[in-house]
Amino acid sequence: MQFTFTKAALPKTGAIVIPVIENGLGDGAFAALNEAASGSLARAAKAANFTGKKDQVLDVIAPQGLDNTRVLVFGVGAPKTFGLEEAEALGGAICARLLSAREKSAAIALEGFAPGGIEADVLAAHVALAAKLRAYRFDKYRTKLEADQKPQLAKIAVHTGSTKAKTLFAELDKVADGVFLTRDLVSEPPNVLYPESFAARCAELEELGVKVTVLGVKEMKKLGMGALLGVGQGSARESKLVAMEWMGGKKGQAPVAFVGKGVTFDTGGISLKPGPGMEDMKWDMGGAGAVTGAMAALAGRKAKANVVGVIGLVENMPDGNAQRPGDIVKTMSGQTVEILNTDAEGRLVLADAIWWTQETYKPKAVVDLATLTGAMVIALAHEFAGMFVNDEKLCEALLKAGEATGDKLWRMPLVKAHYEMIKSDVADMKNIGGRDGGSSSAAAFIGRFVKDGQAWAHLDIAGMAWSTKDLPTSPKGGTGYGVRLLDEWVRQNYEG
Ligand code: BES
Ligand code: MN
Ligand code: ZN
């Protein structure tokens, strides 16, 4: 879809979209267009009891006196409640409506629309961003789509008085590309996306100036990554570790690091998961997907910061060669782990990936993302990712980036008691801590592989990587959660 920003008069063809505040039909674009339409818009509003209340929509098809296909009026409610989040919800809702109405082109009338405290350029750019994000589709395996099932909407013109909106959008557009990459990765079926093919997708980021290194089993064996390798040993697909470096900041300055869980399919292994719903475990690489998308976003907009993204890629399968409950593995850190449940595999992958990341890059901060525990979904549903963090400044900064982007976080506890839960009788630790506080004991496990003094945050995104219903800026399916969060966190803390 193509987005333009213009100060021109509203077009005489296609759809026109006008947002209005409550009781705001008397002025702005609505009033002007109503006059051209001989008052028919106001009559329609009256007949529909439309006053501009939040979430009210007035759809005037083939309006009298105009050649436009329709005029869509979106109520946004009281101006003082209108901020960035509402602007994006509006953009997403507009796009969804235009798509279902099968419009080909639309103009959004934002000139003079300035509710609340939000700046005109920010408003215009984020309405466009949200529309773009909502229009995402993953259709590549639908070979029988009829012409009338394919989306029509090709052009959105944002009519705004702002001159800066276009430049702002150009940056956000790169972030949206990163979100789309993550959604693509998360949506791919597990027979297509496995460690090696995932690594190949990462290698494509070299075009953006990202340095990509891929380690195979041989290299990882040499490094002593017994935990990550143990998870993948039952799979016919070779495990991989991918490092993506974007060094857009000062030469020689330590980077910040993202580490992602990339289990391309999680059957549970020998501790096999139940059949119903197992297909969901194709998106158990959502953390790695978010890290990859974030690297694409940062490189795409040429972020002035040093950032590395490391992802551990494995497939967790039951097999004659699979790891067993009772196995003891040795991690790269030298610590040993008693495997009591082969379905608690994500933490094993992260243990070695995080250790390697610290040894290799001495990062200023480590943020890991993982679809780690079902318990996280029980606790926070699909509203927040859980954040376990050992550094107050890092905590504040991530919460702030979450608020700014809508990729919301909720801080969870991680204390000594959680570390006690993973004590083993036979090894340095065990890989499960029991049902109670399952997300915190999983975080504690990862914490055992974080070096003293290393600022670290663990984001459990199990409830966020996939959505079974449409969201304001994301159609159902892969959400791309985490890309905007990480991008914004880098923007606010490491650039400029
Ligand atoms: N990938 C799952 C967690 C998950 C569950 C993500 C549902 C998204 C939706 C993870 O590997 C897992 O199986 N965790 C177990 C841990 C348990 C065995 C300690 C869980 O949460 O049940
Ligand atoms: Mn599992
Ligand atoms: Zn898993």
Side-chain angles (χ1 to χ4, degrees):
M1 187 148 36
Q2 186 199 327
F3 288 90
T4 53
F5 296 84
T6 172
K7 287 184 177 177
L10 292 169
K12 304 260 186 258
T13 58
I16 297 211
V17 180
I18 309 176
V20 296
I21 59 169
E22 189 164 5
N23 301 319
L25 294 178
D27 41 45
F30 183 87
L33 211 61
N34 183 47
E35 212 173 291
S38 338
S40 63
L41 298 181
R43 284 204 306 280
K46 193 153 183 239
N49 288 315
F50 179 94
T51 55
K53 279 202 179 75
K54 193 165 159 45
D55 299 329
Q56 268 187 336
V57 181
L58 177 69
D59 189 357
V60 187
I61 301 168
Q64 184 196 335
L66 302 175
D67 288 329
N68 300 91
T69 51
R70 68 201 330 123
V71 174
L72 267 170
V73 194
F74 279 77
V76 305
K80 65 173 191 298
T81 59
F82 194 88
L84 198 56
E85 193 175 341
E86 288 73 22
E88 291 196 0
L90 173 67
I94 288 171
C95 180
R97 192 80 188 210
L98 291 169
L99 284 166
S100 65
R102 307 198 55 72
E103 290 288 348
K104 292 189 179 69
S105 72
I108 307 179
L110 291 183
E111 179 129 39
F113 177 72
I118 185 168
E119 288 167 46
D121 42 11
V122 175
L123 171 72
H126 282 264
V127 165
L129 169 68
K132 172 160 172 153
L133 289 171
R134 182 62 188 260
Y136 173 82
R137 312 252 302 188
F138 187 76
D139 278 345
K140 65 190 274 202
Y141 298 104
R142 315 221 303 171
T143 66
K144 303 277 188 236
L145 275 187
E146 303 285 346
D148 67 354
Q149 294 173 303
K150 289 186 183 153
Q152 296 289 309
L153 190 60
K155 282 184 189 156
I156 291 185
V158 181
H159 289 249
T160 169
S162 153
T163 47
K164 256 172 58 190
K166 193 180 163 185
T167 8
L168 260 182
F169 178 74
E171 285 235 324
L172 294 172
D173 199 19
K174 300 295 179 190
V175 181
D177 288 343
V179 172
F180 284 11
L181 172 58
T182 303
R183 289 179 185 172
D184 285 348
L185 291 168
V186 162
S187 305
E188 284 289 359
N191 60 328
V192 172
L193 197 83
Y194 46 87
E196 193 177 352
S197 58
F198 193 142
R201 299 286 285 266
C202 296
E204 289 173 17
L205 298 188
E206 298 225 312
E207 281 166 36
L208 298 174
V210 177
K211 188 180 160 215
V212 181
T213 313
V214 183
L215 306 190
V217 167
K218 210 172 131 198
E219 289 99 330
M220 289 191 276
K221 261 191 188 145
K222 232 188 229 154
L223 288 162
M225 295 189 176
L228 186 153
L229 290 170
V231 176
Q233 79 186 29
S235 170
R237 306 292 191 181
E238 185 185 347
S239 301
K240 302 281 181 187
L241 186 93
V242 180
M244 295 165 271
E245 301 174 20
W246 169 253
M247 298 298 180
K250 286 206 186 77
K251 244 200 156 97
Q253 201 167 66
V256 294
F258 304 141
V259 183
K261 167 182 173 181
V263 177
T264 60
F265 195 73
D266 181 13
T267 63
I270 295 300
S271 312
L272 194 63
K273 285 183 182 296
M278 201 200 275
E279 66 280 4
D280 280 349
M281 287 299 106
K282 76 168 184 181
W283 48 263
D284 206 19
M285 33 55 68
V291 168
T292 308
M295 296 311 295
L298 292 165
R301 67 172 183 80
K302 302 201 171 1
K304 290 188 178 52
N306 295 339
V307 185
V308 298
V310 176
I311 57 178
L313 301 173
V314 300
E315 187 183 48
N316 188 20
M317 298 292 268
D319 178 77
N321 192 45
Q323 92 180 336
R324 294 145 291 253
D327 282 5
I328 295 179
V329 296
K330 189 164 189 174
T331 64
M332 184 184 170
S333 75
Q335 302 179 94
T336 56
V337 179
E338 182 190 12
I339 310 294
L340 288 180
N341 189 321
T342 64
D343 196 12
E345 85 297 341
R347 61 198 76 181
L348 297 166
V349 173
L350 286 173
D352 281 334
I354 286 181
W355 191 263
W356 183 84
T357 301
Q358 294 170 98
E359 292 270 286
T360 309
Y361 297 106
K362 311 258 175 303
K364 278 192 203 154
V366 174
V367 180
D368 80 72
L369 291 91
T371 50
L372 204 67
T373 62
M376 200 69 261
V377 193
I378 305 291
L380 300 177
H382 308 282
E383 300 303 314
F384 305 91
M387 171 165 65
F388 305 80
V389 54
N390 67 3
D391 181 286
E392 297 308 307
K393 249 185 84 186
L394 178 57
C395 177
E396 282 306 311
L398 282 166
L399 286 172
K400 198 172 152 207
E403 281 299 324
T405 56
D407 281 352
K408 289 192 180 150
L409 293 167
W410 196 270
R411 189 178 190 175
M412 297 291 295
L414 174 57
V415 299
K416 196 158 164 262
H418 299 121
Y419 284 89
E420 302 289 329
M421 294 175 183
I422 52 167
K423 277 190 169 163
S424 163
D425 293 334
V426 294
D428 297 336
M429 71 197 87
K430 54 185 179 183
N431 79 326
I432 51 169
R435 248 171 68 83
D436 300 351
S439 302
S440 287
S441 58
F445 184 94
I446 299 167
R448 290 282 301 259
F449 300 89
V450 174
K451 295 189 174 185
D452 280 345
Q454 173 69 62
W456 160 65
H458 157 59
L459 313 183
D460 191 334
I461 65 168
M464 306 306 285
W466 188 267
S467 178
T468 54
K469 58 179 207 292
D470 289 342
L471 302 172
T473 56
S474 180
K476 71 178 176 188
T479 62
Y481 180 94
V483 174
R484 295 187 62 190
L485 171 75
L486 297 178
D487 171 76
E488 185 66 20
W489 175 68
V490 169
R491 187 196 304 271
Q492 288 184 0
N493 297 281
Y494 296 97
E495 295 182 76

